[in-house]
Structures are given as structure tokens and as C-alpha cells.
Amino acid sequence: MKKTFIVLALAFAGVNAHAAALNVVTSSSDLASITREVGGDRVTVTSIARGYQDPHFVEPKPSFLLLLKNADLLEVVGLDLEIGWLPPLIDQSRNNKIRPGSAGYLDLSRGVEILDRPQGAVNRSMGDVHPLGNPHYWLDPANAVRIAIQVEKKLEELRPADAAYFQAQLNSFKTRMNDADKRWRAALAPFRGAKVVTYHNSWPNFMRRYGLNVVGYIEPKPGVPPSPSHLFDLIGMMKAQNVKVIIMEPYFDAKTPESLAQRTGAKLVVLYPSVGGAKSGTDDYFSLFDTDIDLLVKALKN
Ligand SMILES: [Zn+2]
């Protein structure tokens, strides 16, 4: 009788250990996708921002407070990407576990390669939304792996009993990412050095990875809407440099990019900077890159 009880108690303990998945909230859908890869069935992951939203400007909703209130871990992109909307939500959630500096707060910008780091004093005047360096660093598979490594370390810290599981998940992710990256490199290899213009400065890591050259932006500074004089200069530069492709993120108004395409003869293509950015074909990090690279190759072939 006593023995049966112990066996049952152990069985329940085992069930409970699995049932209590870590509750992870991420600021972006890309961090969510990578965390699902590493955390597998030991985590429940929810992203606050949707992939089709501009991550600099997310409208706060009451439902976000509930998410944060119940979170064991909050992951952020950092570099002030979420400065306009996340800090008040963390405050109002009254969840001390996920405050900056606590064990349940993870800023992924700490362990990745950051481009466009400012030289000298940080300057937020003129509306520059990239004051600490480019926050769109997740758009490079090498950084995706660096994000996964940091996530694995943190999950292990919060759930030491599942360490071996998280390590195995991370290794599988690294292998699959390495294979996928080879495929993506091969697809873009014929276009090495091609010049493109992008709406927002979202793609420096991506373009450097695949050897493409961003020569201008529709925004005069990240977060600043285009002015007529800036567009006039941009058109002149695009014609002089024979730029064939304009890239825009899905959350901007297409009017300006369309008129720019018309006046320069360049092809306009919408690329998705985040998982879930399109209705289909961007369900996780791998399919996001498959879709974007396919779209980009088609545009560059023209
Ligand atoms: Zn940005």
C-alpha cells in the first residue's frame, strides 16, 4: 500500500514537472520563434508585437498586461526598439520577476553582433529611432544562433532539470540553421553586390550576410518620414547608381515607394522583417527567410 502510494506520488510529480511549462513572453515574434525552437514543449511562448506591426510602434493593449503578469521570462530585442511601448507595460504588470535586472528579463542585444553603433554621444534628436545601434539584428542567421544560445542559457538557469533537453534542442536548431543558410546563400550568390534602396534601415545584417549593398533609404533617418527634398536627392542617386530594387516593410504606406519605383524604373518588393509578417509562409524563422529570399531573388532577376 505504502509502496503504491510512493509510486503514484512520483508519477504525479513527474506529470507536474512537465505540465508546468515556463511561461515566456517576447516583445517580438522572431524571438518567440527562436525560443520555441530551443524551449520545445517545456515552454509556452507568446509574442506581444505581431509580425505585421512596426516593432518601434506597438499600440499597448490591456491583454498585454495579463500576459506580462503571468510571465516567468520576458525577452526583449533591446537597443531602445521597445522604448516607446514596453517599459510602462512592465511597470503596470507589477511582476517583479520580469523587471530589467531581474532573472526573468533577457535583453538579447547583449550577445549578438550589432551594426551601426553610434560613434560618440547618443543623439535622439531629429527622431532617430536607432540611437544605440541597429535593433533589427535578428535578420541574420548568425545572430539567430547567438539569440538561441542566450535563450538556452537562460532557460537552463530557470529550469536546471531540463538542461540536457534545452541543449539538444539548441544543437538541432544550429544544425538546421546552418543547412538553411547554405541554401539561402546559394540562392542569392548570383546577385552579390547588387544595389538596393530600403524604406527603413531594417536590413543591414541581412544584406551584409548575403552580399547585397544598401545604398539609400526612403526615410532620411530611421523613424523620420520622407521629405520632398530627400526624395528628390534619392531619385537622382538611384538613377546615377542604376538601383533596380526598392524594398519596403509591410507596415509602411506604399504610396511613396510606388511613386519612387515609377520615377526610377526600379522594382518595388515587400519583404517581411518578422515572423508572421505575411498571412502565410512566414510561420517561423526558417519560412520567413525562405519567403523573403524567394521574393528578393524574383525582384533582382528582373
Ligand atoms: Zn528600426
Side-chain angles (χ1 to χ4, degrees):
M1 180 69 194
K2 199 176 174 190
K3 203 173 172 188
T4 315
F5 175 76
I6 290 167
V7 170
L8 275 175
L10 286 174
F12 275 116
V15 167
N16 280 339
H18 278 282
L22 267 178
N23 225 335
V24 184
V25 175
T26 64
S27 66
S28 84
S29 54
D30 311 287
L31 296 184
S33 175
I34 295 168
T35 302
R36 281 186 196 109
E37 298 280 352
V38 179
D41 61 10
R42 312 291 155 90
V43 296
T44 308
V45 189
T46 315
S47 168
I48 295 181
R50 301 301 185 115
Y52 49 78
Q53 290 179 306
D54 183 339
H56 291 286
F57 307 102
V58 175
E59 205 182 317
K61 283 189 202 165
S63 61
F64 298 161
L65 284 181
L66 195 64
L67 273 179
L68 290 169
K69 204 184 175 71
N70 297 319
D72 298 308
L73 172 62
L74 171 63
E75 295 175 9
V76 303
V77 173
L79 299 176
D80 280 2
L81 179 78
E82 303 97 339
I83 191 118
W85 54 274
L86 190 57
L89 288 173
I90 297 175
D91 272 347
Q92 287 163 37
S93 78
R94 294 169 189 265
N95 180 353
N96 287 327
K97 281 195 287 186
I98 59 160
R99 282 184 186 283
S102 307
Y105 180 87
L106 182 61
D107 176 347
L108 278 316
S109 70
R110 300 289 172 84
V112 298
E113 187 179 16
I114 305 298
L115 301 178
D116 316 326
R117 283 254 195 224
Q119 306 291 315
V122 166
N123 188 1
R124 283 183 182 78
S125 67
M126 319 269 305
D128 186 342
V129 293
H130 296 172
L132 305 175
N134 196 289
H136 303 274
Y137 58 77
W138 66 86
L139 288 165
D140 176 346
N143 272 348
V145 167
R146 292 184 185 109
I147 291 169
I149 289 169
Q150 294 178 84
V151 168
E152 193 279 330
K153 209 173 145 201
K154 178 54 78 178
L155 294 179
E156 211 178 282
E157 182 192 315
L158 296 175
R159 281 290 153 83
D162 287 328
Y165 175 82
F166 295 138
Q167 282 160 17
Q169 292 283 112
L170 172 64
N171 286 336
S172 155
F173 178 70
K174 280 181 180 171
T175 306
R176 284 178 291 127
M177 187 55 77
N178 194 38
D179 292 346
D181 184 48
K182 277 183 197 149
R183 193 171 77 234
W184 298 328
R185 269 171 190 272
L188 284 169
F191 310 103
R192 191 154 271 278
K195 289 172 182 170
V196 300
V197 159
T198 71
Y199 196 110
H200 182 80
N201 187 8
S202 307
W203 307 93
N205 297 83
F206 180 96
M207 296 301 168
R208 198 190 52 161
R209 179 91 188 160
Y210 298 111
L212 301 177
N213 195 1
V214 184
V215 294
Y217 309 96
I218 293 178
E219 289 178 334
K221 273 175 184 289
V224 177
S227 62
S229 71
H230 174 72
L231 290 173
F232 180 83
D233 292 345
L234 188 63
I235 289 167
M237 185 276 289
M238 286 178 69
K239 285 180 174 166
Q241 299 211 32
N242 199 19
V243 177
K244 295 279 194 239
V245 171
I246 302 165
I247 292 162
M248 72 172 271
E249 296 78 358
Y251 34 78
F252 291 116
D253 189 340
K255 216 168 119 187
T256 300
E258 272 166 4
S259 107
L260 194 63
Q262 221 163 42
R263 290 162 75 176
T264 59
K267 169 114 182 130
L268 174 64
V269 59
V270 175
L271 295 189
Y272 303 98
S274 281
V275 168
K279 283 205 176 89
S280 64
T282 57
D283 299 336
D284 62 16
Y285 193 94
F286 293 98
S287 58
L288 173 72
F289 269 60
D290 280 335
T291 295
D292 278 338
I293 286 168
D294 200 38
L295 287 166
L296 189 53
V297 165
K298 279 182 187 139
L300 288 163
K301 265 185 186 163
N302 260 321

